[in-house]
Amino acid sequence: MILIDGKKAAAELRAELKEEVAELKSKHNKVPGLTVILIGDLTPSQIYVRNKEKSANEVGLKSEVIKYSDSVEEKTVLEKIQELNSDETVSGILVQLPLPKHIDKQKVIEAIDPSKDVDGFHPMNVGNLSSGYESSIPCTPLGCYLLIKKIEPNLSGKKAVVVGRSNLNGKPMTQLLLKENCTVTITHSKTKDLKAECLEADIIVAAVGIPELVRGDWVKKDAIVIDVGINKTDNGIVGDVHFDEVSKNAKALTPVPGGVGPMTIACLLKNTIDCFKRSQI
Ligand code: NAD
């Protein structure tokens, strides 16, 4: 079984991006800039943002974090986004989710200029992705896609099952696999026989949030299995896939931690650079 090393793949991607930033700098005399807005003091969000800033600096991006307290008015955040939209030194804007209840998430997402939407959540980018046009692609499914392509460069005609239909993971993952000519089944909490669906799959992407949901006898021999889940349990962090069981059947499997997670931030950097490149045309 191939253990898909997301840490290594992310380090390789960051190294490529670092070179690309250096080339862009010598060509344009400026570097792509990523601005992250962080609202409130939720510890996981603070850790994510710190890691994003650290990685952005590492590849040579201009990086900025704007912090607001939990009680910030929605209007203040929307005005700041408008300011960043017209700031030429800002290539990418990310508002760290979740937001406090009094702030309308959709309003915030739609306020971001789609050409600077490095999360790929703006309806314009969602529509472009599903229409097969150029767009920012949500970072986690983009990371999964790059890992799958490393194992199997030609996905045409493969059967893929995506478990979970969130806007963040399942839906964009489905679009990416469709674009590669996979036959894709998207499953969710109301799917009648999830095991039977998974048993059909050459590729399984699990993004559910239920510890070890996908069992060994759900997986066809030689399937590629990508585990997006991050679940805190009494035994530590586990994914949505039962690692020990599935590793006996699968051709390739991502571990948790050390699989999809590290690719997510590397893909955020990639999206920022891609937004910059599109703005220079
Ligand atoms: P979500 O809660 O928004 O969506 C979960 C999806 O799973 C829903 O579509 C739901 O229909 C489906 N589902 C629920 N129960 C099911 C069942 N029994 N069978 C089949 N489908 C079922 O979750 P999300 O935001 O997509 O996150 C999923 C997981 O991925 C979580 O563990 C989250 O922590 C993790 N995550 C990891 C990364 C990363 O970088 N690795 C990034 C984002 C999210």
Side-chain angles (χ1 to χ4, degrees), residues 48 140 163-170 187-191 194 206-210 213 227-231 240 260-262 264:
Y48 290 143
T140 302
V163 190
R165 59 172 159 187
S166 70
N167 291 340
L168 181 69
N169 291 308
T187 63
H188 45 76
S189 56
K190 302 288 186 288
T191 296
L194 189 58
V208 189
I210 300 181
L213 175 73
D227 189 351
V228 179
I230 302 176
N231 307 295
D240 292 342
V260 172
T264 297

Side-chain angles (χ1 to χ4, degrees), residues 124-130 133-138 179 271 278:
M124 181 91 92
N125 282 316
V126 175
N128 279 341
L129 177 62
S130 67
Y133 301 140
E134 191 166 66
S135 66
S136 279
I137 297 165
K179 233 176 151 177
N271 280 350
R278 288 196 285 268

Side-chain angles (χ1 to χ4, degrees), residues 4-17:
I4 305 175
D5 188 343
K7 259 191 184 167
K8 185 165 167 255
E12 285 166 4
L13 179 56
R14 284 198 306 274
E16 283 169 29
L17 297 174

Side-chain angles (χ1 to χ4, degrees), residues 40-248:
D41 51 13
L42 265 182
T43 313
S45 294
Q46 286 175 329
I47 295 170
Y48 290 143
V49 169
R50 211 179 304 136
N51 289 340
K52 285 169 185 173
E53 194 180 17
K54 189 171 155 262
S55 302
N57 288 329
E58 203 183 296
V59 302
L61 300 182
K62 182 177 149 302
S63 148
E64 180 191 23
V65 179
I66 297 170
K67 291 182 183 165
Y68 291 112
S69 76
D70 254 332
S71 58
V72 65
E73 279 186 48
E74 182 183 273
K75 187 168 153 276
T76 307
V77 178
L78 294 175
E79 282 171 2
K80 176 52 80 179
I81 293 173
Q82 289 310 331
E83 191 188 311
L84 297 170
N85 283 343
S86 45
D87 183 339
E88 278 187 14
T89 68
V90 176
S91 323
I93 304 166
L94 180 150
V95 180
Q96 183 64 44
L97 302 177
L99 298 174
K101 282 205 178 73
H102 67 281
I103 298 183
D104 183 337
K105 180 175 93 175
Q106 201 54 25
K107 245 192 200 171
V108 166
I109 289 173
E110 289 182 22
I112 298 172
D113 181 334
S115 69
K116 297 191 177 190
D117 167 35
V118 279
D119 256 338
F121 295 160
H122 192 286
M124 181 91 92
N125 282 316
V126 175
N128 279 341
L129 177 62
S130 67
S131 303
Y133 301 140
E134 191 166 66
S135 66
S136 279
I137 297 165
C139 304
T140 302
L142 178 58
C144 296
Y145 166 81
L146 295 175
L147 291 176
I148 296 168
K149 288 283 278 184
K150 266 185 188 281
I151 303 294
E152 181 58 70
N154 181 8
L155 299 176
S156 187
K158 300 276 181 208
K159 279 198 164 187
V161 169
V162 177
V163 190
R165 59 172 159 187
S166 70
N167 291 340
L168 181 69
N169 291 308
K171 284 183 192 153
M173 191 68 236
T174 300
Q175 297 299 345
L176 287 169
L177 292 165
L178 261 183
K179 233 176 151 177
E180 289 289 319
N181 299 316
C182 288
T183 303
V184 191
T185 302
I186 182 159
T187 63
H188 45 76
S189 56
K190 302 288 186 288
T191 296
K192 288 255 164 63
D193 190 346
L194 189 58
K195 176 180 174 181
E197 299 293 347
C198 288
L199 271 170
E200 294 286 315
D202 302 308
I203 299 157
I204 298 175
V205 181
V208 189
I210 300 181
E212 301 176 327
L213 175 73
V214 177
R215 307 301 298 247
D217 61 353
W218 292 25
V219 175
K220 208 165 74 170
K221 269 241 165 298
D222 291 339
I224 299 172
V225 182
I226 305 292
D227 189 351
V228 179
I230 302 176
N231 307 295
K232 264 193 195 160
T233 71
D234 294 343
N235 301 322
I237 303 277
V238 300
D240 292 342
V241 174
H242 196 296
F243 185 88
D244 289 344
E245 288 182 10
V246 172
S247 61
K248 294 195 174 82

